[in-house]
Amino acid sequence: MKRISLIFGLAGCFSFSAFSQYKGEVDRNHLPALSSHYQPEYTFDKTTDEQAWAAQSHGLHVSFSTTDKLYFRTEVPVQKAVTTWDATGWKGERLNAQLLVWSPDTLNQVRFTLSDLTGAGGNVISREHTSLNMERYVLSNYPYGAKDAVCGETPYKSGYLMPDRFEPFERFDIPGGTVRPVWLSLNIPANTPPGTYSGSIQVNTDKYSTALQVSIRVQPQLLPPPREWSYRLDLWQNPWVVAWHNQLQPWSAEHKALLKKHLQLYADAGGKYITTYAVHSPWSDNSYMIEGGMIEWIKQKNGSWKFDYHIFDEYIEMCMALGIDKAITLYTAIPWANRFRYMDEATGNYQYAYWAPESAAYKTHWHIFLNDLQTHLQQKGWFDKTYLGINENEMKQTLAAIKVIKEHPAKWRITYAGNWHKELDTLLDDYSFLYGNEPAAAELKQRAARGASSTFYVCCNPAKPNNFVFSPPSEGRWISWYSAAVGYDGFLRWAYDAWAEDPVRDARFGSWPAGDCFLVYPGGNSSVRFEKLREGIADFEKIRILKTQALASKDKAVKALWQTFEQHLQRFAAEKDFNEDKIIEDIDKGRSLVDALSDRLGR
């Protein structure tokens, strides 16, 4: 009996230790896989052409290349290296190039040494005006150049790696059989004397070295600083996402310090609109990190309302200090499901009210808010640049909300993003049309004649043109040539920074095409897409300046060149197919004409 008892006792102990549940226990099937080091980009792609790599000579390969193409991590990028970068630009302009580094062998400690650029008479463009960023690969849910992107689920089951995210570096390694694109930018100082400037780039590894040449021709014209650009760039911002990504308390000193660097990219691209939020989570709770309200609605114990503007004020003041100071857009007069969040002072709880634009409650509460907002904006000196924003809402609600706004004594400016609707035309001070659903040329001219601004936008549609990570880079530059050709004042896009779970490695979010939700990356880092968009905006400004000069000129050669340029510009207005090579050819020819006009007018 004792022996039997002992056996049962051991069995009981074994059962307890093997099958008991500990507090906080996680099933091993749910445990994430651990890695020895953080992986800054995914590397699961494979080459489609092994023979191309086999044909490459051993050692270091480096080449300049166009910024209008993407180069894939495991594909041989070019057959013949280009070792000289020749470019032409204005004083104050930013010029860009791509450097490609590749090898069939592993390369260690790849690094670049840039020289100053020297010109005639001892003139110098310091290397301090150049920057280099490696292009990191991010995950896409569509292949390169896809023409079937939609707002719904992608038909592709695979993932695709696209070079897009900029990352500063000192040196890097390259695994054998791979490519590393590097983005080179040169900001020509505004006080640079015209002429040709030459220099070199030394490329070294632990075993190899080579030299590249740079030749930059600076024209006499001056491109003003971005703050003075006329182009109305409107990229919707979500400041809370910067706090979330860095695990910071929103609107803390640390959060605001990071926001300044984050917003500097937008300011340097000529950003004009400050995105602010009158209501909490205006867009159907569909952002990965929800946009909060910048104005707290507070229902006091006596039933009256007060509004706290301190976050609203801090954000606007920060943006304006950076040069983003032409327009404030307040979203939205029609929040998703007509939902308004407020703080109940009696309980300290947040509550929700649902006021449809057609209702008496909406009119009552919106007028209370507008009265208070008007007083606050006038005290800050911001009323004349503030727009009440409405976004893609159905016509019945839109007209009802506008009617309520128009009944208020103050003359509020209203902006709307959505399809062209004739009945909205004269009601809107600022109208952004979805590409492909736009007004006729005569209607656009009528808007301009009465001082109303007009832009266009793309979002998760159309498939082309767009700013997805898989979009040909030339489409980003094409966008502003289209604005110039049609007569728009600028361009709008949602969003500047609506990051999802892992934005530094994965540009996908929900069912939308990869990259639809953001153009810049954490850490205040730019992208191929953002820089191509900026190139087009700078082109737009140059065209505007040259037009004024050409129309005032009595030089017959200038008049003929401008007429040729205007004829060429119509190719952008007529574009329908978006063949990549044709788009690049049209932009290149347009830039050549701009250079020729600049030379002639600069005499």
Side-chain angles (χ1 to χ4, degrees):
M1 291 295 292
K2 290 181 179 179
R3 184 180 181 186
I4 295 172
S5 299
L6 179 61
I7 292 172
F8 276 108
L10 289 172
C13 290
F14 177 80
S15 174
F16 178 80
S17 62
F19 300 105
S20 63
Q21 183 175 358
Y22 293 95
K23 295 176 181 178
E25 184 175 349
V26 177
D27 188 298
R28 67 179 183 178
N29 293 318
H30 297 158
L31 292 175
L34 297 178
S35 177
S36 300
H37 301 283
Y38 177 74
Q39 187 177 11
E41 63 189 356
Y42 293 118
T43 58
F44 45 60
D45 56 327
K46 295 182 179 180
T47 183
T48 60
D49 191 349
E50 293 280 2
Q51 292 302 313
W53 282 110
Q56 294 291 299
S57 60
H58 294 288
L60 172 66
H61 295 262
V62 186
S63 178
F64 284 111
S65 184
T66 175
T67 61
D68 289 323
K69 298 280 188 178
L70 295 184
Y71 298 91
F72 298 93
R73 204 184 71 89
T74 54
E75 306 295 339
V76 175
V78 295
Q79 294 301 320
K80 185 177 180 180
V82 177
T83 58
T84 299
W85 178 35
D86 289 299
T88 298
W90 289 15
K91 298 181 292 182
E93 185 175 358
R94 178 182 298 171
L95 302 178
N96 299 312
Q98 281 194 102
L99 283 161
L100 305 175
V101 185
W102 74 99
S103 178
D105 319 304
T106 295
L107 300 177
N108 296 313
Q109 301 187 52
V110 180
R111 55 201 184 274
F112 300 81
T113 305
L114 285 70
S115 75
D116 293 338
L117 303 180
T118 57
N123 295 321
V124 174
I125 299 176
S126 170
R127 58 182 173 273
E128 294 178 357
H129 297 291
T130 60
S131 64
L132 289 168
N133 283 279
M134 71 166 73
E135 297 170 26
R136 287 291 191 183
Y137 290 85
V138 296
L139 192 59
S140 169
N141 52 0
Y142 284 86
Y144 179 68
K147 297 182 179 181
D148 52 354
V150 294
C151 295
E153 199 67 34
T154 175
Y156 298 91
K157 303 306 178 185
S158 300
Y160 308 87
L161 289 179
M162 302 291 160
D164 189 54
R165 176 172 67 88
F166 283 10
E167 182 178 302
F169 67 94
E170 178 186 332
R171 61 189 68 199
F172 53 80
D173 300 334
I174 297 180
T178 67
V179 181
R180 175 62 64 196
V182 174
W183 192 273
L184 169 63
S185 291
L186 168 64
N187 291 292
I188 303 173
N191 61 353
T192 304
T196 299
Y197 293 77
S198 300
S200 64
I201 302 174
Q202 188 71 27
V203 187
N204 292 290
T205 76
D206 61 345
K207 295 180 180 179
Y208 307 100
S209 66
T210 190
L212 305 173
Q213 303 304 313
V214 176
S215 180
I216 303 297
R217 186 167 68 92
V218 179
Q219 296 175 299
Q221 280 84 357
L222 173 66
L223 182 65
R227 188 171 195 159
E228 298 176 17
W229 293 355
S230 67
Y231 193 90
R232 295 179 73 90
L233 177 63
D234 185 5
L235 304 178
W236 292 4
Q237 308 115 52
N238 178 357
W240 290 268
V241 78
V242 175
W244 158 74
H245 186 80
N246 294 282
Q247 293 84 51
L248 295 173
Q249 177 67 30
W251 309 109
S252 63
E254 296 83 359
H255 176 212
K256 287 183 280 189
L258 287 176
L259 268 178
K260 290 178 182 178
K261 182 182 179 184
H262 175 71
L263 290 167
Q264 189 66 60
L265 290 171
Y266 181 43
D268 288 346
K272 294 293 183 290
Y273 292 75
I274 305 169
T275 309
T276 65
Y277 299 91
V279 298
H280 177 81
S281 188
W283 316 130
S284 183
D285 300 338
N286 58 5
S287 298
Y288 190 83
M289 181 61 188
I290 288 174
E291 298 91 343
M294 289 182 174
I295 302 172
E296 187 85 280
W297 294 48
I298 303 167
K299 187 175 184 180
Q300 300 182 96
K301 293 177 181 179
N302 63 5
S304 64
W305 291 87
K306 69 177 180 179
F307 305 91
D308 183 345
Y309 296 97
H310 82 275
I311 292 175
F312 178 79
D313 292 349
E314 285 182 358
Y315 189 65
I316 291 173
E317 288 164 1
M318 179 189 300
C319 290
M320 287 188 171
L322 293 171
I324 310 163
D325 57 5
K326 295 299 186 294
I328 301 164
T329 310
L330 192 65
Y331 289 108
T332 172
I334 312 176
W336 173 78
N338 305 316
R339 181 185 66 181
F340 293 82
R341 193 185 80 168
Y342 65 90
M343 170 67 74
D344 185 344
E345 191 177 65
T347 65
N349 297 327
Y350 281 116
Q351 304 286 351
Y352 289 93
Y354 295 85
W355 303 322
E358 305 91 335
S359 68
Y362 179 93
K363 179 177 179 178
T364 297
H365 290 95
W366 199 248
H367 274 236
I368 291 171
F369 173 59
L370 289 181
N371 287 336
D372 200 82
L373 179 63
Q374 177 190 356
T375 299
H376 184 77
L377 291 172
Q378 288 173 337
Q379 289 173 348
K380 302 292 287 187
W382 298 340
F383 182 80
D384 290 339
K385 60 180 63 179
T386 298
Y387 294 81
L388 302 178
I390 302 173
N391 175 48
E392 296 181 342
N393 293 94
E394 63 181 52
M395 188 54 53
K396 180 182 177 181
Q397 285 194 325
T398 298
L399 289 172
I402 291 174
K403 181 181 179 182
V404 169
I405 294 168
K406 294 290 186 181
E407 288 173 351
H408 192 268
K411 293 183 178 180
W412 291 97
R413 289 172 173 78
I414 303 174
T415 181
Y416 178 85
N419 293 339
W420 162 251
H421 298 285
K422 180 65 177 176
E423 56 265 53
L424 292 180
D425 182 21
T426 58
L427 300 175
L428 302 174
D429 305 272
D430 183 77
Y431 201 156
S432 191
F433 316 103
L434 178 61
Y435 178 83
N437 291 276
E438 304 157 75
E443 293 164 321
L444 197 59
K445 287 180 179 178
Q446 289 171 4
R447 287 189 57 78
R450 64 174 182 266
S453 53
S454 303
T455 65
F456 82 103
Y457 74 99
V458 297
C459 52
C460 58
N461 67 88
K464 289 178 170 290
N466 221 300
N467 312 99
F468 306 133
V469 295
F470 55 87
S471 298
S474 53
E475 290 183 17
R477 193 167 194 168
W478 183 93
I479 278 169
S480 295
W481 282 82
Y482 178 73
S483 290
V486 174
Y488 287 134
D489 298 300
F491 175 70
L492 175 152
R493 206 187 196 296
W494 181 87
Y496 179 63
D497 52 10
W499 299 328
E501 181 177 7
D502 186 14
V504 298
R505 299 187 297 184
D506 193 340
R508 300 173 302 161
F509 178 51
S511 63
W512 296 322
D516 176 47
C517 297
F518 60 92
L519 286 166
V520 299
Y521 288 87
N525 289 311
S526 189
S527 67
V528 172
R529 295 175 293 141
F530 191 71
E531 292 302 315
K532 294 302 294 186
L533 180 64
R534 189 189 187 280
E535 284 181 349
I537 295 168
D539 293 339
F540 181 99
E541 289 301 309
K542 292 172 70 173
I543 293 167
R544 177 185 63 81
I545 293 168
L546 289 173
K547 180 178 182 179
T548 300
Q549 295 175 353
L551 294 180
S553 175
K554 299 187 183 303
D555 186 333
K556 291 182 179 179
V558 168
K559 296 291 189 185
L561 271 173
W562 181 252
Q563 185 177 16
T564 300
F565 178 79
E566 284 195 315
Q567 290 171 351
H568 177 69
L569 204 56
Q570 292 314 303
R571 293 176 67 87
F572 296 88
E575 182 60 57
K576 300 297 180 186
D577 298 328
F578 293 98
N579 175 273
E580 182 180 1
D581 291 336
K582 179 181 179 297
I583 285 175
I584 293 172
E585 181 183 339
D586 286 346
I587 293 172
D588 285 347
K589 183 176 180 180
R591 290 172 58 203
S592 294
L593 289 167
V594 165
D595 288 347
L597 278 162
S598 301
D599 286 337
R600 188 75 190 184
L601 286 163
R603 290 183 177 183

